[in-house]
Amino acid sequence: AQSVAQPEDQVNVAEGNPLTVKCTYSVSGNPYLFWYVQYPNRGLQFLLKYITGDNLVKGSYGFEAEFNKSQTSFHLKKPSALVSDSALYFCAVRDDTGFQKLVFGTGTRLLVSP
Amino acid sequence: EAGVTQFPSHSVIEKGQTVTLRCDPISGHDNLYWYRRVMGKEIKFLLHFVKESKQDESGMPNNRFLAERTGGTYSTLKVQPAELEDSGVYFCASSQVSSTIVETQYFGPGTRLLVL
């Protein structure tokens, strides 16, 4: 069975500092990994995805994520955080064995302080 | 291009009543998904349509939930009768059908359902 773990309920970072939001996964086949962000009173917005190839994936709003197969991780990163990055971040996975449903983690709230 | 839209944005109903949620996918997207997030927990898959056919309904919690997608366009999710544990945010997503790429699912703003 597929699963995703986001070990931190909340991440606090000061504006201008680098940020990392952690995600680990478990799938039976090859993983396809996604990050989504939910701003207050908004829906989920797609940030980036890893399918294959380069382990460093670049996405929207300056975010990037690093795929690590040996550690089964897909951490979200940004070199310099903005206050406007404060939101709820979800990691999701699906595999290549057929069904297209996404399996999500519980979400991590990112709080960037001025 | 319009995104995925959902109606209503909020719904408050009494236990035992019926509620119908609507989702309009992005034009041209044959894949349509329903997900649900119960307070503070993960977002869970409910079901997946390809056009008007149910491809995967393994996440539907019980027979009080009925999803339809007549004509392969918009979809409705009806809960009848609603129970307290049905409260949560119901998300709809859509994506293109492709045999060569892993498509991205684009989500709507969600419908926040509260059952009292």
Side-chain angles (χ1 to χ4, degrees):
Chain A
Q2 303 163 53
S3 66
V4 172
Q6 293 183 244
E8 303 152 319
D9 289 336
Q10 182 161 313
V11 169
N12 298 303
V13 65
E15 187 174 33
N17 284 356
L19 69 88
T20 298
V21 182
K22 295 180 181 177
C23 171
T24 58
Y25 67 90
S26 174
V27 296
S28 52
N30 291 313
Y32 301 137
L33 294 149
F34 302 78
W35 275 102
Y36 287 84
V37 59
Q38 185 179 23
Y39 297 102
N41 300 315
R42 303 284 295 275
L44 292 167
Q45 292 184 32
F46 169 73
L47 277 180
L48 50 80
K49 67 182 177 185
Y50 170 82
I51 306 303
T52 186
D54 194 349
N55 290 341
L56 186 64
V57 180
K58 294 189 182 297
S60 306
Y61 313 122
F63 283 93
E64 56 190 26
E66 186 169 14
F67 171 67
N68 187 316
K69 187 173 183 178
S70 63
Q71 297 185 4
T72 60
S73 68
F74 189 57
H75 300 332
L76 182 70
K77 301 181 179 185
K78 187 173 183 181
S80 179
L82 299 173
V83 172
S84 57
D85 292 330
S86 298
L88 189 55
Y89 290 80
F90 290 95
C91 181
V93 69
R94 60 167 278 210
D95 66 21
D96 62 352
T97 57
F99 290 110
Q100 298 168 21
K101 63 183 178 185
L102 294 176
V103 174
F104 284 85
T106 51
T108 298
R109 186 164 299 282
L110 173 67
L111 185 59
V112 182
S113 54
Chain B
E1 179 183 296
V4 177
T5 57
Q6 293 186 245
F7 182 83
S9 58
H10 296 79
S11 181
V12 181
I13 61 173
E14 301 275 337
K15 175 183 172 182
Q17 288 185 322
T18 297
V19 63
T20 299
L21 314 181
R22 173 171 170 144
C23 168
D24 286 79
I26 292 172
S27 178
H29 283 193
D30 287 335
N31 285 316
L32 188 149
Y33 308 82
W34 284 98
Y35 293 84
R36 175 175 72 172
R37 185 177 193 230
V38 174
M39 177 73 78
K41 298 194 175 182
E42 71 271 28
I43 299 168
K44 283 194 170 181
F45 167 81
L46 295 177
L47 87 158
H48 169 206
F49 284 100
V50 178
K51 296 185 179 178
E52 67 275 9
S53 300
K54 292 176 184 175
Q55 180 80 3
D56 178 4
E57 50 185 331
S58 60
M60 294 288 266
N62 51 61
N63 58 11
R64 295 185 295 102
F65 288 75
L66 175 63
E68 294 180 323
R69 192 181 182 193
T70 306
T73 54
Y74 71 90
S75 175
T76 58
L77 179 65
K78 182 162 69 174
V79 185
Q80 178 183 30
E83 298 288 345
L84 299 179
E85 63 265 25
D86 300 332
S87 297
V89 181
Y90 289 76
F91 291 104
C92 176
S94 72
S95 69
Q96 293 177 317
V97 170
S98 173
S99 59
T100 58
I101 64 169
V102 177
E103 73 286 351
T104 297
Q105 295 181 26
Y106 295 94
F107 283 75
T111 293
R112 190 174 299 275
L113 175 65
L114 179 60
V115 183
L116 301 175

